[in-house]
């Protein structure tokens, strides 16, 4: 009789643990997936090749399928492929959201958000980034917290919420510093300078840009140098310091003229115009006309300078049409409202968790009483 009671007791405890705490899901032991994950951070291209060569028909359990889906999307992101396929990552999210595997749960939410960001579904992306943030904080993963905050800052920058963009850029920088990854911290510093610039704090933006350029030269990071110079040029232009703006853009041309964008030539042209170097400003205008006829701000300023007001008005109308289209794409996404709704949802979820815990305690007490009676 005692042995029967003992077996019943053990069975009840096992069932209770699974009911209250959740049984762990199996971890994939597929050697190709393991190898791909090991290569992912240092050699994402090699990891991607492994994943592309894997026969998905050999993935026979949910753990393998979820990990494959997650790693494939991660490899795309790390190799600069802006995927918009939500279906593959959804497999990973559906699996890991109820799993005790916090690391992969964090990744699934983060890379789901990255795809939504590529699709310009910013409200959805913010919600999944906040979910990823919760998990990253619970496991103290400061590197991914830095990436999460960087994406949130980018989204707020795209939607012209400069205060929030600056806030999350600073959080991103602090997280990367805590993770010990200075290369990512340098780029987070660029995000901070961008947020200052977008908020029209050109003095702060120019100051931080100097640090970015210095860090770029110190670390032989030519891309950081160029983007630092680009941001410095924009900031000096905002301050009407045309000479410094010209120096910044001309330094970019000296390093690599092929990286100059339409916006760069527009800003350089405006700086030349500000210094009344009309021939050079006109040259920038012609370069823009050969590349993108929708951007006409420099043309507007040039025609106005020449007194050709009819042409100036025509250029201004084209520029306004371009800017209106940009704004129309942005105002369809109410990111702030999405965050508020998410916080409300999280509050309700926590209330439900409290109720669940109370019920679990009642069940556990009832089970213990039953066991005592049986014994």
């Amino acid at each position: 009789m005692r042995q029967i009671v003992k077996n019943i007791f053990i069975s009840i405890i096992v069932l209770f643990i699974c009911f209250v705490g959740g049984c762990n899901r199996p971890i994939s032991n597929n050697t190709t997936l393991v190898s791909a994950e090991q290569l992912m951070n240092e050699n994402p291209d090699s990891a991607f090749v492994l994943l592309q060569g894997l026969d998905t028909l050999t993935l026979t359990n949910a753990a393998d399928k979820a990990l494959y889906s997650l790693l494939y999307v991660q490899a795309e992101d790390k190799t600069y492929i802006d995927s918009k396929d939500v279906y593959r990552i959804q497999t990973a999210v559906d699996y890991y959201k109820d799993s005790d595997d916090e690391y992969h749960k964090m990744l699934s939410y983060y890379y789901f958000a990255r795809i939504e960001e590529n699709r310009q579904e910013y409200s959805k992306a913010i919600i999944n980034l906040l979910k990823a943030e919760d998990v990253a904080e619970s496991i103290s993963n400061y590197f991914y917290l830095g990436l999460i905050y960087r994406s949130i800052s980018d989204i707020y920058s795209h939607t012209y919420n400069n205060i929030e963009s600056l806030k999350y850029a600073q959080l991103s920088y602090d997280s990367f510093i805590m993770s010990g990854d200075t290369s990512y911290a340098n780029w987070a510093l660029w995000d901070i300078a961008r947020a200052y610039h977008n908020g029209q704090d050109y003095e702060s933006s120019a100051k931080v840009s100097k640090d970015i350029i210095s860090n770029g030269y110190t670390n032989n990071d030519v891309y950081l140098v160029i983007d630092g110079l680009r941001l410095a040029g924009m900031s000096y232009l905002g301050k009407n310091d045309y000479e410094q703006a010209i120096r910044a853009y001309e330094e970019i041309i000296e390093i690599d003229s092929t990286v100059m964008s339409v916006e760069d030539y527009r800003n350089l042209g405006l700086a030349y115009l500000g210094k009344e170097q009309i021939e050079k400003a006109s040259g920038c205008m012609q370069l823009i006309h050969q590349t993108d006829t929708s951007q006409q701000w420099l043309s507007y300023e040039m025609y106005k300078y020449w007194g050709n007001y009819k042409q100036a008005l025509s250029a201004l109308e084209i520029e306004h049409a371009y800017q209106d289209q940009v704004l129309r794409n942005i105002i369809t996404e109410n990111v702030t409202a999405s965050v508020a709704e998410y916080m409300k949802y999280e509050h309700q979820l926590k209330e439900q968790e409290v109720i669940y815990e109370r019920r679990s305690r009642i069940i556990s007490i009832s089970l213990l009483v039953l066991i005592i009676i049986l014994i």
Side-chain angles (χ1 to χ4, degrees), residues 205-302:
S205 178
K207 182 178 179 180
V208 177
S209 294
K210 285 183 179 179
D211 294 334
I212 295 167
I213 297 164
S214 176
N215 291 343
Y217 277 123
T218 300
N219 295 286
N220 295 317
D221 188 340
V222 67
Y223 299 108
L224 186 63
V225 171
I226 289 172
D227 277 359
L229 286 167
R230 180 176 283 126
L231 198 48
M234 292 165 59
S235 301
Y236 288 129
L237 186 62
K239 293 172 59 180
N240 296 326
D241 189 342
Y242 303 122
E243 186 173 346
Q244 289 279 45
I246 291 169
R247 286 178 183 175
Y249 285 111
E250 287 185 344
E251 190 171 344
I252 294 175
I253 294 172
E254 185 178 340
I255 295 170
D256 184 0
S257 62
T258 64
V259 302
M260 287 285 287
S261 66
V262 170
E263 290 78 9
D264 293 333
Y265 280 114
R266 177 199 64 201
N267 293 338
L268 179 57
L270 291 170
Y272 282 140
L273 182 59
K275 293 293 290 183
E276 295 195 352
Q277 297 180 25
I278 306 305
E279 186 175 344
K280 290 183 177 180
S282 180
C284 290
M285 184 179 75
Q286 295 305 319
L287 281 170
I288 293 171
H289 284 175
Q290 294 169 13
T291 307
D292 186 354
T293 57
S294 66
Q295 298 201 39
Q296 294 283 323
W297 187 255
L298 177 59
S299 297
Y300 162 71
E301 293 289 350
M302 292 292 295

Side-chain angles (χ1 to χ4, degrees), residues 134 343-357:
D134 288 340
M343 298 304 293
K344 179 181 178 182
Y345 167 77
E346 284 294 293
H347 178 71
Q348 292 173 343
L349 190 62
K350 287 178 180 178
E351 288 182 343
Q352 291 175 356
E353 287 176 353
V354 171
I355 294 171
Y356 177 80
E357 287 175 3

Side-chain angles (χ1 to χ4, degrees), residues 47-110:
F48 200 19
V49 170
L50 284 178
L51 293 168
Q52 288 175 314
L54 180 62
D55 182 1
T56 56
L57 294 177
T58 63
L59 304 176
T60 57
N61 60 62
D64 285 345
K65 292 175 182 177
L67 185 57
Y68 169 79
S69 299
L70 174 58
L71 293 178
Y72 197 97
V73 172
Q74 185 179 19
E76 286 182 323
D77 189 77
K78 284 181 172 289
T79 53
Y80 307 104
I81 298 173
D82 294 332
S83 174
K84 297 181 181 180
D85 180 11
V86 297
Y87 299 105
R88 178 175 276 118
I89 192 62
Q90 187 69 61
T91 301
V93 172
D94 289 343
Y95 179 84
Y96 290 117
K97 68 181 181 181
D98 297 321
S99 169
D100 293 333
D101 186 345
E102 298 297 292
Y103 177 71
H104 288 115
K105 182 190 297 183
M106 172 192 70
L107 293 184
S108 68
Y109 283 135
Y110 172 71

Side-chain angles (χ1 to χ4, degrees), residues 335-372:
V335 174
T336 303
S338 297
V339 174
E341 285 296 318
Y342 174 74
M343 298 304 293
K344 179 181 178 182
Y345 167 77
E346 284 294 293
H347 178 71
Q348 292 173 343
L349 190 62
K350 287 178 180 178
E351 288 182 343
Q352 291 175 356
E353 287 176 353
V354 171
I355 294 171
Y356 177 80
E357 287 175 3
R358 288 174 181 172
R359 288 177 179 174
S360 297
R361 291 194 193 101
I362 292 171
I363 292 171
S364 63
I365 293 170
S366 299
L367 287 171
L368 289 173
V369 170
L370 177 61
I371 292 167
I372 292 171

